[in-house]
Amino acid sequence: MNFFEHQDQARRSTSRRVALFCLAIVLLIGGLYLAVVAIVAIYVTKSDLAEIAWWKPELFLLVSLGSVLLIGGASAYRMYSLRSGGATLAESLGGRPAEAHSDDPATRRLLNVVEEMALASGTPVPRVFVLQGEEGINAFAAGHDLGDAVIAVTAGALRELDREQLQGVVAHELSHVVNGDMRLNLRLIGVLHGILLLGSIGVQLLRATTRGRRSRSSKGSSGVAILLALGLALVVIGYTGVLVGRLIKSAVSRQREFLADASAVQFTRNPRGLSGALQKIRDSVNGSRIAIAGAEEASHLFFANFLGSGWRASLMASHPPLPERIARLEPAAMARPSSAATARTSSASARLPAASAAGQLAIDLNGVARLVGHPEPRHLESGKRLLQAIPPLLHRAAHELLGAVALVEALLIERDPTLRQRQLALLIERERPLVLHEVRRLLPEVDAVTTALRLPLAELAAPTLQRLSPAQKRHLERVLEGLAAADQRLGVFEFVLTKTVQRWIFGPRAATGQGQLSTLLPLAREAEIVLATLARAGHGGEPEVARAFAQGWRRLPELAGASVTSTVRAIDLLSLDVALDRLARATPRLKQSLLEAAAQVVLADGSVTRDEAELLRVVAEVLGCPVPPFAALSR
């Protein structure tokens, strides 16, 4: 199953979850209504059960309305509390940010593993948390999208796992990030919170009435009995709903765990690392235990099940049994890429020329959609090389709040003396003296790095920029836009950097209209703008541009009858910006076609320029399709 099939399955899964949740709510309302009718008849009207009139429309409406408001309100509140993404959840479970300058070598090793794997997969580096008080071996990924994702690892995992095993766990969690699983999982926490509230109210009523029975006289015994009966009914009904919710989690999450295991092995080409981590959990005294109260609602996010064993726990577990996961990985440990597969890879990589003085890159874009969400070991090696090539001064700056802001601003400072003076004057006018001083301090190192390192540097700063306040984020966005516009034209790198940083710190921009589009016809003009812009970015004369555009357009048969105006006579990045935001509404299947068409435009002349590679990366970024950094693969 590739990334786009996984996304389609996730979309269908969401619809099924909504339907099952609605069914659970209907059943809960029905059960609560029957309980209220029985309690009123027995304790208020003193009726015999055989004489009860079970259908009371007004009471049914009252119970239904109250239940929907209670469950819906509680779910909405929990979703609102998680609006800032995975960091809120990690902190609520006792997580503390992993500091790059920590004295703990295990923490620094964890950050190094996460950074190199994120750079290799083409995603912003997620924020990293350590669950300090947890001795079990476990981890989770959470967030609404790539920009606000976090990866949290228990202290037990840091202590017990070696680098190879830790890499397997991180690869597993990163696959949840890129495949969109974490967004669904966060929503599920909010949805089930409302159902759980019914049971919690019932427990509180039982406790209150138990205490009241000791202190109240016999005159109040009837009222106590009513509350006791209602509390018992809420407990039974509420926890029945929780059981249904766990079964929903189990039905959907188990297959996703197998897929995440498979993706991790494909990425690292090292099943022994992931299998070794699972075996450590199996053999450890603490297993995968999570001790903090409240972790149960997030059980489906974790790397391994911690809700106990036995057939009851297995029935409702959101994870496959450890022995089954290990058994699936162990045969893979004996598998190696066949010589034919190796030959195909070598042949594909050889289709394009090596890097040349003209700035062309040796990149294989044939079948680029296959790599979306599924990076390979060669990309992991590239990620390691990128991380090792980053100067220590810039690496430290990317992990400090002041330094990260100054770093992304310094990346937009031109080398041309006149333009540089104009941009520095803008910073003097708009930025704090401390930020300006940091920009000046970093500029010599930024000037010295290769072009291939500039976007990875910004990606490395992404988790630090997430910590800015909303006002600071808006200020940074305005400053970056001012720096990019200082020369009265928006260059490709400037567009790519400002667009991606804007998405990292604010999330995807809301496009005109609502919902996903399952056909490209309403987006024909936007698709044309994207392909035409890519054609002009890497091809010289008009015949070459037209040929490149036509090669990509043929990959969109749904638009064969659409009118093509070809009015893009120059690279218009502002129009591209608007077009990409609208195309982000397409379904995963359409996004796959768009990405493949864009790659064909770039490949039309058999070579790839850096501008083309960076534009294609931002197209993939906005479409929510993370691809490995092309420039890192240049020879």
Side-chain angles (χ1 to χ4, degrees):
M1 179 181 295
N2 68 18
F3 171 86
F4 302 96
E5 291 168 337
H6 193 102
Q7 293 283 305
D8 263 329
Q9 185 192 68
R11 196 161 57 98
R12 292 192 298 271
S13 174
T14 301
S15 301
R16 288 196 298 271
R17 287 185 185 188
V18 170
L20 289 171
F21 175 68
C22 292
L23 178 61
I25 296 297
V26 170
L27 294 175
L28 291 177
I29 290 174
L32 185 58
Y33 166 73
L34 293 176
V36 170
V37 171
I39 290 171
V40 170
I42 294 171
Y43 294 103
V44 178
T45 64
K46 309 295 184 182
S47 303
D48 189 275
L49 282 176
E51 301 172 353
I52 294 177
W54 291 101
W55 178 239
K56 300 179 183 295
E58 295 83 0
L59 183 60
F60 179 78
L61 181 62
L62 183 63
V63 170
S64 300
L65 184 60
S67 299
V68 169
L69 288 175
L70 183 66
I71 295 173
S75 295
Y77 170 79
R78 188 66 178 119
M79 289 180 180
Y80 180 78
S81 72
L82 295 171
R83 69 192 183 283
S84 60
T88 300
L89 182 64
E91 289 167 352
S92 72
L93 295 176
R96 296 293 179 267
E99 299 294 341
H101 313 307
S102 171
D103 294 331
D104 180 22
T107 300
R108 294 198 303 272
R109 181 187 65 181
L110 170 64
L111 283 170
N112 183 263
V113 167
V114 171
E115 287 173 356
E116 70 185 24
M117 299 188 86
L119 291 177
S121 61
T123 65
V125 179
R127 293 183 65 184
V128 182
F129 286 78
V130 178
L131 306 182
Q132 296 288 358
E134 301 294 348
E135 297 302 314
I137 301 172
N138 225 320
F140 70 82
H144 294 294
D145 51 54
L146 294 175
D148 72 351
V150 306
I151 289 179
V153 177
T154 62
L158 287 188
R159 186 180 61 254
E160 298 290 338
L161 302 182
D162 61 29
R163 195 182 197 282
E164 182 180 65
Q165 294 161 350
L166 187 64
Q167 189 180 62
V169 172
V170 170
H172 173 102
E173 296 306 326
L174 202 57
S175 74
H176 283 310
V177 172
V178 298
N179 284 322
D181 295 342
M182 57 181 188
R183 182 188 305 111
L184 298 178
N185 288 334
L186 272 188
R187 289 175 180 170
L188 192 56
I189 289 176
V191 164
L192 295 183
H193 182 77
I195 296 178
L196 180 62
L197 186 63
L198 287 177
S200 299
I201 292 174
V203 169
Q204 295 303 317
L205 279 176
L206 288 177
R207 288 175 179 171
T209 51
T210 301
R211 289 193 299 267
R213 292 179 73 177
R214 300 193 191 103
S215 58
R216 296 190 183 192
S217 64
S218 59
K219 293 181 181 180
S221 60
S222 177
V224 172
I226 292 174
L227 290 177
L228 188 64
L230 182 59
L232 185 60
L234 285 173
V235 168
V236 172
I237 293 168
Y239 282 98
T240 300
V242 172
L243 173 63
V244 173
R246 287 180 181 173
L247 290 173
I248 294 172
K249 288 197 293 186
S250 174
V252 176
S253 298
R254 289 190 183 202
Q255 186 60 29
R256 290 178 175 277
E257 293 304 316
F258 281 134
L259 287 171
D261 284 350
S263 296
V265 170
Q266 177 181 317
F267 190 2
T268 62
R269 192 73 73 186
N270 182 15
R272 290 185 299 274
L274 187 57
S275 174
L278 293 169
Q279 291 176 56
K280 283 274 183 74
I281 292 173
R282 181 194 62 191
D283 300 335
S284 170
V285 173
N286 293 304
S288 55
R289 183 172 62 93
I290 298 295
I292 191 168
E296 183 178 346
E297 69 169 356
S299 61
H300 55 296
L301 272 70
F302 279 82
F303 173 68
N305 176 51
F306 60 86
L307 294 179
S309 56
W311 70 270
R312 289 186 182 89
S314 298
L315 178 66
M316 295 182 291
S318 56
H319 294 68
L322 282 178
E324 188 175 353
R325 292 175 71 181
I326 294 170
R328 288 198 180 198
L329 291 168
E330 286 296 347
M334 306 303 295
R336 293 291 182 268
S338 67
S339 57
T342 304
R344 283 196 300 271
T345 301
S346 300
S347 173
S349 297
R351 289 192 186 106
L352 296 179
S356 70
Q360 294 178 346
L361 308 177
I363 303 169
D364 175 23
L365 294 182
N366 281 306
V368 66
R370 174 181 55 82
L371 297 177
V372 175
H374 294 288
E376 298 174 347
R378 61 194 175 109
H379 305 128
L380 183 55
E381 289 303 313
S382 294
K384 290 179 181 178
R385 291 197 301 270
L386 281 172
L387 201 56
Q388 291 167 358
I390 291 174
L393 175 64
L394 299 184
H395 188 274
R396 284 195 301 273
H399 293 87
E400 299 166 351
L401 207 54
L402 180 66
V405 170
L407 178 59
V408 294
E409 291 178 355
L411 287 169
L412 284 175
I413 302 293
E414 298 283 351
R415 287 185 172 88
D416 177 84
T418 303
L419 284 177
R420 174 164 293 197
Q421 280 302 116
R422 191 181 304 165
Q423 290 173 315
L424 289 175
L426 182 142
L427 288 181
I428 292 171
E429 178 185 337
R430 298 189 183 182
E431 273 294 13
R432 293 171 295 155
L434 279 176
V435 176
L436 179 61
H437 178 269
E438 188 69 3
V439 169
R440 292 183 185 276
R441 189 174 75 94
L442 298 179
L443 265 178
E445 290 277 11
V446 170
D447 287 341
V449 299
T450 63
T451 307
L453 284 177
R454 296 170 77 82
L455 276 179
L457 273 169
E459 291 171 353
L460 201 61
T464 308
L465 297 176
Q466 275 291 322
R467 292 159 44 198
L468 296 172
S469 69
Q472 290 172 326
K473 290 177 180 179
R474 288 191 294 272
H475 174 74
L476 175 61
E477 184 181 37
R478 288 193 295 269
V479 170
L480 293 180
E481 289 173 349
L483 290 172
D487 59 353
Q488 308 301 315
R489 59 176 294 274
L490 188 61
V492 169
F493 174 75
E494 295 163 335
F495 170 75
V496 170
L497 182 66
T498 53
K499 183 69 175 175
T500 51
V501 170
Q502 179 263 331
R503 286 179 59 83
W504 295 337
I505 64 177
F506 289 110
R509 189 188 305 169
T512 304
Q514 298 295 325
Q516 285 192 313
L517 295 175
S518 57
T519 174
L520 272 179
L521 288 175
L523 300 170
R525 174 59 178 162
E526 286 74 19
E528 180 187 348
I529 289 172
V530 170
L531 299 189
T533 303
L534 283 168
R536 293 209 168 270
H539 304 87
E542 290 300 320
E544 290 77 14
V545 170
R547 187 162 46 250
F549 175 85
Q551 183 165 313
W553 194 259
R554 283 195 295 270
R555 297 298 295 265
L556 303 173
E558 191 176 350
L559 299 181
S563 173
V564 180
T565 59
S566 297
T567 56
V568 181
R569 298 301 177 190
I571 295 179
D572 183 359
L573 296 174
L574 295 178
S575 296
L576 177 65
D577 188 15
V578 176
L580 286 175
D581 285 330
R582 280 185 50 79
L583 288 170
R585 295 175 55 206
T587 61
R589 179 184 61 83
L590 297 181
K591 289 178 180 179
Q592 179 176 5
S593 299
L594 284 165
L595 191 57
E596 290 174 344
Q600 287 303 308
V601 172
V602 172
L603 282 171
D605 60 356
S607 64
V608 183
T609 66
R610 198 169 298 278
D611 277 357
E612 287 177 302
E614 290 180 348
L615 277 176
L616 189 57
R617 279 289 306 279
V618 83
V619 168
E621 166 80 24
V622 177
L623 293 180
C625 305
V627 294
F630 303 131
L633 301 180
S634 61
R635 296 178 184 174

